[in-house]
Amino acid sequence: RIVYVNGRYVPYAQAAVHAEDRGFQFGDGIYEVCEVRGGRLIDEARHMQRLARSLGELEIAAPMSAAALGHVMREVIRRNRVKDGLVYLQVTRGAAPREFLFPADTEPTVVCLARPMASAGLDARALEGIAVKSMPDIRWQRCDIKTVMLLPACLAKEAARQDGAREAWFIDADGFVTEGASSNAWIVDAGGAVITRQLSSAILPGVTRATLRDVLEGEGITLTERPFRLDEAYSAREAFITSATQTVMPVVRIDGRPIADGKPGPVAQRLRLNFHQIAAISSA
Ligand code: PLP
């Protein structure tokens, strides 16, 4: 395997960054994960827009243009011969002697790697759906920035796993679902309308979420962007999550309670099937 690190394509075992990298010491960095399908990037422009926004919010200088980053991602995909999988791109503020204040004249650290993953449409898990566990949202108040500061998500997903669940749903202080630990959270109401929380600093503006809005519009399905509580989710007709690596993944159990008949719902399955007809597919 080949990894891109600061301008070089190096073998996996040698892919290292400095011990004083601020990503390592402070979580002072941001990232993107894009789906790769048939060797092509899905929704590249939206991912690049969000990356630029995350960098801007943290006042990290853009290491290169979006086009150049796109070239790096394609090169990593090509060199690793990834057909269906994901590409991970991380930018940190760089390496400097440990000090909270931003260092002057430090070059950002850029890392890009790719790995294969079962193609979304063929993933057996999607046929069965997944279980979710709810947990208090203990994250910070800028969840709209895609930072590498992911310890709350690690803790939540590990606790979910110990309970036999694949994903955690974070619950805010008022009892509303914010989002998944690494996904956006959705439900379908009795009338067939789809509900997901509105964008704010409480959630990540998911690229899959944005594209799914287009899919819903194309399908003539009503979307309501508002917070919902766990009770509403427990008794929803369907539930699902979205993320670049999972597309639309049906949720069949929340906190051990089956959602409807405990099987993936028709809306989630249809959205999953139709997603890639709407998503932007970049040239290889
Ligand atoms: N919310 C959080 C906290 C995430 O970490 C992710 C993706 O990893 C998402 C939502 C989904 O975002 P996207 O659809 O861009 O993958």
Side-chain angles (χ1 to χ4, degrees):
R1 282 179 70 193
I2 297 293
V3 180
Y4 173 91
V5 185
N6 288 332
R8 293 169 57 224
Y9 296 89
V10 295
Y12 191 82
Q14 276 113 274
V17 298
H18 197 275
E20 290 222 273
D21 194 275
R22 291 178 63 96
F24 180 56
Q25 289 181 335
F26 297 115
D28 189 2
I30 59 98
Y31 72 107
E32 282 295 327
V33 178
C34 302
E35 184 192 0
V36 179
R37 210 173 143 89
R40 291 162 177 228
L41 283 165
I42 303 299
D43 279 331
E44 177 184 357
R46 279 184 163 143
H47 283 286
M48 288 300 105
Q49 278 159 21
R50 185 173 63 187
L51 178 126
R53 179 178 181 276
S54 296
L55 289 172
E57 291 298 308
L58 300 186
E59 297 176 43
I60 297 175
M64 59 186 94
S65 68
L69 285 172
H71 173 79
V72 169
M73 288 195 288
R74 276 180 193 72
E75 198 55 25
V76 169
I77 292 165
R78 193 183 66 76
R79 289 187 190 226
N80 289 281
R81 296 188 185 80
V82 173
K83 254 182 64 71
D84 296 313
L86 63 86
V87 54
Y88 175 89
L89 177 62
Q90 177 177 341
V91 182
T92 77
R93 200 180 303 278
R98 188 177 181 281
E99 155 65 77
F100 289 91
L101 302 176
F102 298 170
D105 310 322
T106 298
E107 291 288 310
T109 300
V110 183
V111 169
C112 184
L113 50 88
R115 72 160 184 246
M117 183 179 68
S119 147
L122 304 171
D123 186 349
R125 216 177 278 131
L127 303 174
E128 294 167 14
I130 60 161
V132 157
K133 177 180 164 68
S134 67
M135 245 162 284
D137 196 338
I138 58 166
R139 302 174 303 165
W140 72 331
Q141 289 168 29
R142 289 306 305 277
C143 291
D144 56 313
I145 308 171
K146 197 166 170 68
T147 79
V148 295
M149 210 173 56
L150 290 170
L151 193 50
C154 294
L155 295 174
K157 278 169 122 45
E158 182 59 31
R161 186 179 66 89
Q162 288 173 14
D163 256 23
R166 288 281 311 175
E167 177 62 308
W169 274 13
F170 285 129
I171 312 300
D172 71 14
D174 300 316
F176 292 102
V177 175
T178 49
E179 62 182 332
S182 65
S183 59
N184 288 110
W186 309 68
I187 56 172
V188 181
D189 74 11
V194 167
I195 300 160
T196 198
R197 191 176 174 119
Q198 73 280 11
L199 294 184
S200 73
S201 56
I203 67 167
L204 187 78
V207 166
T208 318
R209 180 190 183 283
T211 298
L212 196 69
R213 289 172 93 243
D214 300 342
V215 179
L216 291 168
E217 202 179 317
E219 299 271 323
I221 297 173
T222 307
L223 170 66
T224 309
E225 293 179 87
R226 64 162 173 85
F228 58 88
R229 289 179 197 275
L230 266 180
D231 275 353
E232 197 177 354
Y234 291 154
S235 58
R237 183 180 280 185
E238 294 184 34
F240 60 90
I241 58 168
T242 56
S243 77
T245 53
Q246 308 212 69
T247 314
V248 176
M249 178 61 73
V251 170
V252 294
R253 252 183 1 264
I254 305 175
D255 297 332
R257 302 163 196 238
I259 305 308
D261 62 359
K263 297 198 179 75
V267 173
Q269 285 177 293
R270 187 162 114 218
L271 295 174
R272 182 180 183 85
L273 283 175
N274 295 346
F275 184 85
H276 290 99
Q277 283 157 21
I278 302 288
I281 302 174
S282 305
S283 58

